[in-house]
Amino acid sequence: PRRRNVLTTGFWPTYPALELNLAPEMQKALSVFTNFYMAKTQHRRLSWIHTLGNVVVGAQLSKRHDLITNTFQACILLLFNSTPQLKLETIVQALKIEESYAKKLLATLSLSKFKILKINRAGGAAAEPAVEDKK
């Protein structure tokens, strides 16, 4: 079962609302919940703060893993469902995020102890899924 917490804005500090073009799977879930919530409480407005979200992404590397990511990282990883390699410009355009932020997100997926993506800097920055599972 999925659990969601809805708090009024008085409980939250202010956060910058970064624009993000969600993956279709995520957009559908967001729409379903929005419709459900608005049917229950029509006098309230939902504001989605994607920088605070987290997502469990099922990944098949050398074996199956559940990756706990933030919303932006999950959107990047979901782009690889349709193609094995992506250029930085493609990621920026698909998600509608700043290039500098995309670079930071790619670094978190490629420079950590568990490398999810490999960055190929030849011919422009490109990313592809890492095939080896290092322990």
Side-chain angles (χ1 to χ4, degrees), residues 16-22 50-51 72 95-98 101:
L18 297 178
E19 185 177 338
L20 173 64
N21 188 22
L22 291 173
H50 300 301
T51 53
F72 289 83
L95 301 182
K96 296 184 179 167
I97 59 176
E98 296 286 328
Y101 192 51

Side-chain angles (χ1 to χ4, degrees), residues 32-85:
V32 167
F33 182 77
T34 299
N35 292 338
F36 163 79
Y37 185 77
M38 297 312 283
K40 297 286 183 188
T41 57
Q42 297 172 347
H43 63 282
R44 297 190 182 210
R45 182 178 63 94
L46 283 175
S47 297
W48 297 98
I49 310 296
H50 300 301
T51 53
L52 298 177
N54 59 49
V55 180
V56 178
V57 178
Q60 185 67 41
L61 302 171
S62 62
K63 61 181 182 177
R64 174 129 168 54
H65 295 277
D66 287 333
L67 308 174
I68 300 171
T69 67
N70 67 39
T71 307
F72 289 83
Q73 291 168 322
C75 287
I76 288 174
L77 292 173
L78 288 172
L79 291 174
F80 287 96
N81 283 342
S82 59
T83 184
Q85 187 170 354

Side-chain angles (χ1 to χ4, degrees), residues 5-12 44:
N5 295 326
V6 178
L7 301 176
T8 61
T9 55
F11 287 96
W12 290 98
R44 297 190 182 210

